[in-house]
Structures are given as structure tokens and as C-alpha cells.
Amino acid sequence: MRQDIRRLAPVSAFFALSGFAHGSWTPRLPGIVEQIGADVGILGITLTGSSIGMIIAASLAGRLCMAFGARRMLAASTLLVCLTLPLLGSVTTVVAFGIALVVLGLGIGLLDVAMNVAAAAMEQRLDRPVMSIFHAALPIGGVLASLAAALAAGLKISPQAHLLVVGVVGLAATLTALRAIPKDLTGQPKQDEAGRTGRAPFRLPALWLLAGVALCSVIAEGTAGKWSALFLVGDRGVSEGAAALAYTVFAASMMVARLFGEQVRNRWSAARILVCTSVVGAFGLLSAVLVPSALVSYLGFALAGVGLAYAFPVALAMAGKAGRDNGGDGAREIGFVTTVAYCGSFAGSPLVGGIAQVSSLAVAFVVVGLLAALIGPLGASAQAVLGKKKQPEPTAR
């Protein structure tokens, strides 16, 4: 057990940073919105800034990891994220907020691909399905951050002071973890005689299906994370401090589910995991907004966390494996799936904001719940395509 912790902890720290960063600023969104004076329609457009940055970074991150190594990319992205977080709390205009989100998105996009490349390499090295365990660190970071955010909001601490402390703590913790990551964790991709590293990711049909799984998952996770507090304040009448706990409930349930990811993946196929959990996730999101009770809303977000826990890590683990089968190290394939998924973040915020503007946040959550239900069919289709590819060629007689 202790040996497992020593092996997994350094890479897990960067997953925790990603969750810590997200869980720190999104619960403070009501305070930031008041500070910059934006309505839900404008806010939905502004929130695409982080998605724009993430899409740009993720589209380049796979190649950067291949060229410079995931370890260096982890260092660069950590620095960028932790320096940008305090800016989010100090902005006073919508434009400045949008620019800060773009920069933050660049850092998080690079971080997410680099840490998943490192995690896929560690999974291959250990020959164990531990990707979900790494991803459990995301909600762990999110839980700690959202609890701190709820406390800060309850104590009337400004977003600026709160996020400055978050940036300093995050930078110190992850730079310490960086020193423990093996320098040889990710190797060079295999090349043929012409110097090629396998088929381009966009030519692999299974990767498009896996990207669809990740895209639906990101939209659903982003909606629960970014809009749950605003929903509870506006539709359920709870205080800002209590509303911030919605993300805590969502992230905590996701964390617990992912900690059992290795056992689940050892017993169930990837397709069965995605089909069953997508039903749970969709039901959780729908019940959170359709039943007029704050308590049921919290329970619904908890179910959504369980239901969405495995979609993204399972999709990336499958993408990394497909990349290695394709003659590479999985970096390009993980980068491709992540880039498409971040398009979900780009589309998700204006989708939710636009629907909320013309109807309500409850209706927006219903639409997102239906998207979460698509994760199962997409994942099953991807598994079927990859399964066909694995079948051996008939032996000539």
C-alpha cells in the first residue's frame, strides 16, 4: 500500500492541482460576477475564455510532450496556472475576466494533457488500470478547494485575497511533487523506417467515439461545477456559502467512485462501465433540478458525480492504449481526445448560459443531463471498434 502511494502520489499531485484550481474559482463565481457586473447571458459567453485557452493548449500539448517530455510540460503549466489564479479574483471588468480565463485555460489545457500522458505511461509501467485512481485526485483537489472557497465566502474574504493564497499554495505543493517524478517516465514514440509514428489520430474512428465520450463528460462536469452554485442561489434560495458546497458534494462523490476505479475496471468492461454510469449521471443531473427541493438537489449532484466519475479517465486510458497500438506513446491520441473534449467546454458555457437566458437554469441542466446519457452508447461503440481491430488476421494455410 505504501509502495503504491509512493509510486502514484507525484503524478496524482498534478491531477489534484487541476481540481484545486477549478474548485477554487468556480465556487467564488457569484462574488466575481457581482464584482464585474455581468448577467447570466454575458457570463456564459465570457466563461468560454477558459475553453478557448484549453482548446489551443490541448491541440499543441501532445506534440509538446513528445518533443520536450511530459515532465517539463508539467512544470510550465503549473507555473502558468498558479500565477493566473490570483488575476481572476482581482479583475473588475468582463473583458479582463475573459482574458484571465483564456490564460488560465492555456495553463490548464497544457497541464491536463501532460498529466494524462504521464498517467498513461505510469499505467503501462505498472501494468494496472490505475488511470481512475489518478483522476480521483482531481475531485480531491476540488473538494479541498471548494471547502476553502465556501469558508472564504462565508467569512466575507474577497476573491482576490482567497485566490492569491490558492496560487501560492498550489505552486509550492506541485513544484515539490515535480522533483519526485521519474525523468524517464515517458519514452520516445516508436517510429518506422520513414520516421513516422503511426496513423494520425483523426484517422482512427475509435478516437472520434472516445472524444465524444469525453466531450459529453466535460459538458456535464463543467455544468455541475460552474453553474450548480448559481442554480442553488437563484432557484433554491440558499446562501452563497451553502451553494458553494454543491460542488463539494459533486466532487466528493466523484472522488470516492474513482478511488474504486481499479476494482471496477478489473471486473467490468469499459463499455459496461460507461453504459451503466451514464444512466446514473443523467438521472442525478435531472433529479437535481426537476425536484423542487434543495436537499434533493444536493443528492442529485452527488449521484451525478458518481455517474460521471469514470467517463473521462476510461476514455483517455482507451485512447492511450489505442495510441500505443498505433505505434506511438499515446501522447497525440490523448491530446486529440482532450482537444475535442475541450470543445465541449467551449460549447457548454454559452449553451447553458443561452438556455438559462431564454428559459431557466433548470431547463439548461435537463439538456445537459440528456447529453450525459449519450456517454454509454458512444463508449460501447468505441469498444466495439477497438475490439474488431484486435481480432487476429486469419492464418494462411
Side-chain angles (χ1 to χ4, degrees), residues 6-185:
R6 285 197 299 269
R7 289 177 174 178
L8 303 180
V11 175
S12 297
F14 291 91
F15 283 83
L17 172 64
S18 183
F20 194 75
H22 184 73
S24 292
W25 76 268
T26 49
R28 300 308 307 269
L29 199 52
I32 296 174
V33 168
E34 183 178 353
Q35 189 171 292
I36 64 178
D39 59 33
V40 291
I42 295 297
L43 179 64
I45 297 174
T46 306
L47 288 175
T48 61
S50 61
S51 300
I52 292 172
M54 288 190 293
I55 291 170
I56 294 172
S59 64
L60 302 173
R63 294 182 180 275
L64 290 174
C65 287
M66 290 174 64
F68 301 105
R71 192 170 183 272
R72 291 181 179 178
M73 292 302 100
L74 286 173
S77 59
T78 293
L79 183 63
L80 186 57
V81 169
C82 293
L83 291 179
T84 306
L85 278 172
L87 296 179
L88 294 179
S90 60
V91 295
T92 56
T93 66
V94 174
V95 174
F97 182 53
I99 293 173
L101 285 177
V102 171
V103 178
L104 180 67
L106 289 171
I108 291 179
L110 180 57
L111 171 63
D112 283 3
V113 174
M115 70 190 190
N116 277 294
V117 170
M122 182 63 78
E123 188 173 59
Q124 182 183 21
R125 172 177 286 193
L126 298 177
D127 194 25
R128 290 169 50 193
V130 293
M131 180 66 82
S132 295
I133 297 178
F134 285 123
H135 278 261
L138 271 166
I140 288 175
V143 167
L144 294 176
S146 59
L147 286 173
L151 178 62
L155 294 176
K156 307 298 182 183
I157 297 175
S158 68
Q160 181 179 19
H162 168 221
L163 293 177
L164 176 61
V165 173
V166 168
V168 173
V169 172
L171 186 62
T174 51
L175 288 183
T176 300
L178 184 69
R179 304 170 71 178
I181 292 182
K183 295 182 179 180
D184 63 340
L185 183 59

Side-chain angles (χ1 to χ4, degrees), residues 165-240:
V165 173
V166 168
V168 173
V169 172
L171 186 62
T174 51
L175 288 183
T176 300
L178 184 69
R179 304 170 71 178
I181 292 182
K183 295 182 179 180
D184 63 340
L185 183 59
T186 55
Q188 293 296 321
K190 303 172 185 177
Q191 296 182 346
D192 59 19
E193 295 179 357
R196 296 171 296 191
T197 57
R199 296 172 65 190
F202 69 88
R203 295 182 180 276
L204 301 175
L207 288 182
W208 284 103
L209 294 168
L210 293 173
V213 170
L215 185 146
C216 292
S217 174
V218 165
I219 291 178
E221 288 185 43
T223 301
K226 293 177 182 177
W227 297 90
S228 57
L230 290 174
F231 171 77
L232 287 171
V233 170
D235 290 57
R236 297 293 182 259
V238 305
S239 67
E240 181 183 341

